[in-house]
Amino acid sequence: MAVVAIMRTVTRFLADVHSRSPEFRDLVVVSTYVQELISTLYPVVVGLEALDPVTELQARDSLVTSEKQEVFVRPLSRSSTKSAYVIRTLDTETAATGLKPRMPVLRRVSSYVLVKSDSQNFQPSPAKLQLPLSTEYQSSEKEAIDQTVVEEILEMVIAVYSDQILIRKDFPGLGLFMKVPPGIQEHQAFFESFILRNTVIHVGNSIRLDQRILLEPRVLANLQRLAGHLGEAVFEGWFIDGAETVLEFLGSILEYLQMPETQHAKSIRLCSHIIATIREVLLRVVLLRLSELDERSHVSDIVAFMKRLVYWQAVLLAMDDSQKHFLRLFCFLLYTKMTSEHDQVRACAADVWRLLLVHKPEDTSQILRRAALGQHDELLTGFSRLTEADNETFLAWADENQRSLNSMFFDSLSKAWADFVTEENRNTEEVAKVRILKRKDKLRQWASQALRREEIIHRHEISCDHWRANIYSSESIKKQRAAQDQQTSLAFNQSSWNKLQRALHRPCGLLESPDPLKWQLDLTEGRNRMRLRTIIDSNSQVHDYRSKRELSRGPSQHQHRRGTAYSRRKTVGKATPPVPAMPNAHAKISDRTQASTKHAVSDDTEKDQGEDEDDYEMVGDPHEDGNDYEDKNRKVLRSLHRGDQVEHVHNVSRIIGLEGLEGLLIIGKLHLYLLDGLFQRSDGEIVSVSQAPQDERDNYLQMISGRDPGERLAVSGNVEQEVRSWRRDEVLSISKRRFLFRDVALEVFFEDGRSYLLTTNATSYRDDLYQKLVNKTATVAARRPSVAEDVSWRFDSVQDPAEQPQSLGSRFTSVFAQNSSTPATRKWLQGEMSNFNYLMHVNTIAGRTFNDLTQYPVFPWVLADYTSDELDLSDPRSFRDLTKPMGCQTPERQADFRDRYQSFAEMGDHNAPPFHYGTHYSTAMIVTSYLIRLQPFVQSYLLLQGGSFDHPDRLFYSVEKTWASASRGNMTDVRELIPEFFYLPEFLLNTNGFDFGQRQGAGETIDTVSLPPWAKGDPKIFIAKNREALESGYVSKHLHHWIDLIFGHKQQGEAALEATNVFHHLSYRGAKDLDKIEDPLERLATIGIIHNFGQTPHQVFQRSHPARDDGKNIPKQIDTVAESLTRLPSAVVNIRDRVTSLQYSTKLDQLICSAPSKVNIGPSYDKYLEWGYTDGGIRFYASDTKKLIGLFEHVHVTQISCVLFADSQTLVTAGDDGVVSVWGVSYPSRSAVDLQPKGSLFGHRAPVTVLAASRSFRTLLSADERGQVLLWDLNRLEILRRLATEGPSQPVMCARIHDVNGWVMVCRGPNLALFTLNGDPILEQNVCTEEDAAVVSCAFYEGSGNDWLKRELVFTGHRRGVVNIWNVAIRRGVFVLEHIKRMHHLDPAATAARNLKSSIT
């Protein structure tokens, strides 16, 4: 209905414009307005769509006709749907019944009659004209067009024609044959008849309303042209049943024109020829109609037409002399009707004859006389009687004289009729030819227009499709990015919520949990690359690990509460934040969207973090504009620091233990970023790993994880994401590494103690990334002179002295193989580097890394005595034989392994070279079995064991049993040790309470590792003794032999064979090139062997390693000469104020003192900081000019209580409100300071009085006046633990953190307490002899950090200028402080020797 209403509105508007606007009427004459209207009407009127112009053009004579004798036309207008029209084809060549066969007939181009289908006795034929390009309306599917709309469109067409006929001058003609759309001939004839009939009726009605319009010559001229068109249409057959309509129309016009009052008008007299032409057309149409109405016609049609002739007798008989020949033809046709078989027709013919004899007696008599040729005078007399006789009498007479009448009419008048027919048919054919030619031209024009229109439409469709695709792509991208932004916000909220949850439930939190905490090893490295610190395992609640034996007994009684098997796909069992879920399932994207955190918010050990299946398939942005690069990096933009920009993005995989986590390494303008779970496609778009094309990913990582390369990980729940970021100048070193013996990896070391092993797809890609990192971060040898003092030791521990653009092997060879005077070896040979530090350095140079369990650092067994109550390190029998591998610690075992080698050699299998050992001394299983009590190694162990612990008897539960197995008891066990045996007691303790099951036999429960008797059951003592043994003289003397076996010339070749040190060939680099193995199964098997069996370290030394000196030339250090310390005769520095801190600058070679509320800023000490102002702010000054270079107010809400520089760029402030704040300090210029907040630490409920920090372990200690001591992680800005105290808590006077071994010293009153970095108490002892004495200051002696200290010295400062030196020793199985020396700070102003009254600060 809405469409109909719109159409009616449009038609009325056009009709109104046409009636009111002369300009519009002028336009429609020269435009295609009428043609468009006709094209609209045509399918409605005929009930079929128009054909393609080419179809009609290719038909014979350009006329497409139906093969049926009858064609049904069902107009689609509602008023016409109940009845249909039938167009019946007539055979005009066959003479009518009663006529002689030789009588010619008028022919038309199309001879159709129109009848109503509901008046027929026959049913319409179901056959239809099947044309290739025609489309027929299905009336059962489409509703009929509203009749009002059809009438209105028809009225618009008629209005145009009426305007041209009655108003305008020089009527151009209707020209319907040039306007009717292509179609079959029957439909075109029906449609033209429809238009002509309605137009003639409308014009006739208009004339009858104002007949005086006929007095205008232009109107008469137009009507003459119209009459000619109508006559042609009737004769050619395009005006079906149009004779009667033309008769009525022209008859009414002529009737008015021959009225007495009209015919004498001047304009009429001047237009007499026009009137004669109109009358001639009328007479020709009457003759045509009379000739059509033969015996095949309905009697009623003939009678009706004859009666109309009687009605229009005045018009028909008013012919002039030039038209009298029509009367003769009329008489001929009239006689044919008298010979009809139907009485009614004969009677009507008699009536017409009577009219002729009455109104045209002379003309009629003359025609009859000429026809009689003087032979039939009696017939003339008989006709003359017609005026007096009735019809019956006349017809009876005619029957009696039929032969004579036939002879008179058919013989005499037939020649005139034949001439007329011949002339008319010739004229009709000529007109038809012209018409067909014009129609063809028009059809060609339409075909050309249709082709152009199709081309335009095609181009439009293409453009539209492209535009639509672009719009769809653009909007899809916008939608996806909106979803990504929403998901990023959700992930950020999730991360913030989880962080808040941890902060609330952590130690000292508002909702501190009473449940015991679970711990895991932090991967931050301290001095000598020791990973000492454990942190809270926030994912511990999702694990329930049990042994295979317990699992084999059936479901646990607690199984309904916790799962039993380890799941590779970690879930995070954290409270769900109050944020809305994704509103649309189609908008969900990976849960691995990066959180917007500027620092890491979870530990580095989170691995195996899969992604949700992503419903989005990313599409290319169709708009290549300036924002393209930013849009492609949209997924990571929120992770960038403010003001930073992305310069380079690289796909890397971060190796964590046994698996790799795919992600991105982003090199920014200011920072370096590591983001897990993202991937940059080849088109530059950053997507989740699950959306990445499989052929662009690293399939090796999928293989080592036990998954098919195409398999996607699914993760349940939200996995908290972390964004790791560092300033570019915080990159210490970048080294090329191998992964699976492929040169595709990099290991990046940072100032904060973290390192990452990153792998790429190919060596070339790795080398390109390496070069970019070196250029962008200015690391390696180029940075050595500018490295700050507080990180120079870390730089030396990871830096390759021969870092230069060479291959990995040649570079390593050049470091150590040419000579022994390299810095690392020289320091070790001279005793300036400890054995532990040197071994760690060699492991690093050989490519061994903590980040890859298959290439974990290797350390030797150094002791062989694990049964004595006391360990005697002066007895060589207490040590293992370092000149031989673990398989040769006994002669019998060595012989067995040599026999094995000989057996394999005799087999002669070139694909499997002979070896001594089928197992390796360092594998992922060995490493994880050692560290099975410590996360995250538990997860890696369970990956190897299929999700559960091994049988208890095969676990690492006893040091003595493990040594016995590796040295003599088990031919498949030749394991060495790992670095943790020499510094980390926590790996021996089952602090997390894992259920390892019970051993067979006695049923002993596997818990903490069983230690040798000399360890007294204390893992700290075991570690201390083991480390002492490693640094002992015996080991120092023989360590080079072990280095030759593992890293040196005895690792391979003939020397290895002589040393009984040959392992499986696949454990050596170069045995097989994985990239050249085409069989995927063989490649997967080889990867499994390399990954699980173990990898022999790179051969660092090509020649025998030199032995260490006997130690006589090693310079003495304070730990060995503390008893001989003496006071200098004069003060080194006197600032005439209370000294609160002392720092020694190696660069300036002087002591730097600080007064109260003042801190000198290292390492150059050209600036200092002051606090204690009423505005709660801090101020920075230049040391030389005392000029203010930085002012920052209201740093704390309350007064600042203490300040500490954790390193040269990290400032820590504490206030009376108990809040500890961490700030980043930078120096844009020499005279400017910038202070940026990193975070605030909440945990104290009293003013903080003491701050201490370890730069190497990135740990902060804070103590308040209530005695509470907290340890904080400076990398993550989270609490580590609260140090437990025995008895009533006292205020802490001072505290320190050992920067080498991580010990924490806390002094309360007269007592000194030592803790490990992980809060385990070592000792607590009263170090004051006087009752009112107290420890007011303390310090550790740390040496150079790389050397071995024979004694751990502790310095304590007391009141009245007393300093005590203590040694931390092990006596009777416990740690104690042994007093070494008491020193006095004498008052220089006193005449007698006496101490100062002030305290040592």
Side-chain angles (χ1 to χ4, degrees), residues 1346-1357:
N1346 298 331
D1347 53 355
W1348 164 250
L1349 301 179
K1350 294 184 177 180
R1351 294 190 296 186
E1352 291 290 348
L1353 299 184
V1354 174
F1355 293 76
T1356 57

Side-chain angles (χ1 to χ4, degrees), residues 96 335 532 622 732 817 820 987 993 1064 1126 1266 1273 1401:
Y335 174 76
L532 272 173
L732 274 182
S820 61
F987 89 96
H1064 193 282
T1126 58
R1266 295 182 182 177
D1273 180 3
T1401 56

Side-chain angles (χ1 to χ4, degrees), residues 52-101:
D52 184 79
V54 178
T55 304
E56 182 176 337
L57 192 61
Q58 293 176 348
R60 184 173 62 88
D61 294 332
S62 296
L63 295 175
V64 182
T65 60
S66 173
E67 297 179 356
K68 303 298 181 181
Q69 290 295 319
E70 296 176 346
V71 176
F72 284 80
V73 177
R74 294 183 175 86
L76 294 181
S77 59
R78 290 177 180 172
S79 63
S80 303
T81 54
K82 292 184 179 180
S83 61
Y85 294 94
V86 178
I87 302 176
R88 181 181 301 162
T89 304
L90 296 179
D91 185 6
T92 58
E93 299 295 334
T94 303
T97 302
L99 296 181
K100 294 182 179 181

Side-chain angles (χ1 to χ4, degrees), residues 134 380 731 755 818 913 1051 1269 1332:
S134 64
L380 298 177
V731 180
S755 64
Q818 301 301 323
Q1051 182 193 91
V1269 181
D1332 59 343

Side-chain angles (χ1 to χ4, degrees), residues 728-1016:
R728 296 204 316 198
D729 59 0
E730 290 180 331
V731 180
L732 274 182
S733 178
I734 307 169
S735 298
K736 295 180 180 180
R737 292 285 187 260
R738 296 186 305 273
F739 181 68
L740 297 177
F741 288 138
R742 300 172 66 234
D743 283 328
V744 294
L746 291 174
E747 190 162 24
V748 186
F749 300 89
F750 298 94
E751 288 185 3
D752 60 7
R754 288 182 284 185
S755 64
Y756 297 94
L757 181 64
L758 308 176
T759 67
T760 61
N761 270 337
T763 303
S764 59
Y765 190 87
R766 187 276 310 271
D767 293 341
D768 177 64
L769 175 59
Y770 172 81
Q771 197 60 44
K772 287 180 181 177
L773 286 174
V774 170
N775 294 337
K776 295 294 183 180
T777 58
T779 56
V780 198
R783 280 197 62 211
R784 183 62 184 92
S786 62
V787 174
E789 293 182 22
D790 53 358
V791 295
S792 60
W793 57 268
R794 196 187 298 277
F795 187 88
D796 293 334
S797 66
V798 300
Q799 174 62 25
D800 185 351
E803 192 73 42
Q804 52 183 317
Q806 300 176 358
S807 65
L808 189 62
S810 62
R811 191 178 72 247
F812 288 162
T813 301
S814 65
V815 175
F816 291 101
Q818 301 301 323
N819 54 68
S820 61
S821 61
T822 56
T825 305
R826 185 173 62 252
K827 286 183 179 181
W828 180 73
L829 293 175
Q830 295 175 356
E832 299 177 6
M833 181 180 290
S834 66
N835 291 339
F836 180 91
N837 191 25
Y838 184 62
L839 287 176
M840 185 60 71
H841 189 77
V842 173
N843 271 280
T844 302
I845 297 301
R848 310 297 284 191
T849 171
F850 286 112
N851 296 302
D852 184 3
L853 292 180
T854 65
Q855 301 185 85
Y856 211 75
V858 185
F859 271 65
W861 289 92
V862 294
L863 290 173
D865 182 6
Y866 295 97
T867 57
S868 301
D869 291 337
E870 298 295 334
L871 181 63
D872 185 4
L873 296 181
S874 62
D875 187 356
R877 292 175 298 178
S878 300
F879 298 92
R880 60 91 50 105
D881 188 353
L882 291 171
T883 63
K884 297 179 180 179
M886 286 301 297
C888 302
Q889 292 300 305
T890 63
E892 298 79 11
R893 202 177 193 214
Q894 182 176 9
D896 292 340
F897 282 119
R898 288 185 173 180
D899 292 341
R900 171 188 288 180
Y901 181 91
Q902 190 63 31
S903 301
F904 287 135
E906 293 174 355
M907 295 174 64
D909 187 354
H910 299 288
N911 294 325
F915 53 85
H916 293 113
Y917 311 109
T919 57
H920 209 265
Y921 51 78
S922 177
T923 66
M925 178 57 74
I926 292 173
V927 175
T928 56
S929 64
Y930 281 145
L931 301 174
I932 195 173
R933 292 163 178 80
L934 196 61
Q935 288 283 21
F937 305 99
V938 180
Q939 301 169 17
S940 299
Y941 178 87
L942 294 175
L943 283 177
L944 296 171
Q945 284 294 328
S948 62
F949 292 121
D950 200 356
H951 289 282
D953 293 290
R954 293 201 291 263
L955 297 178
F956 172 53
Y957 63 89
S958 169
V959 177
E960 190 274 330
K961 298 292 184 183
T962 304
W963 160 253
S965 173
S967 62
R968 60 180 181 272
N970 191 343
M971 290 289 289
T972 62
D973 187 2
V974 291
R975 74 183 73 181
E976 293 282 6
L977 297 184
I978 56 176
E980 285 77 3
F981 271 85
F982 303 96
Y983 67 83
L984 186 64
E986 282 76 14
F987 89 96
L988 301 168
L989 300 172
N990 188 16
T991 54
N992 289 330
F994 294 125
D995 183 7
F996 298 113
Q998 296 179 344
R999 295 182 58 203
Q1000 289 182 341
E1004 177 185 355
T1005 301
I1006 302 298
D1007 192 43
T1008 297
V1009 176
S1010 176
L1011 302 175
W1014 46 259
K1016 309 305 179 185

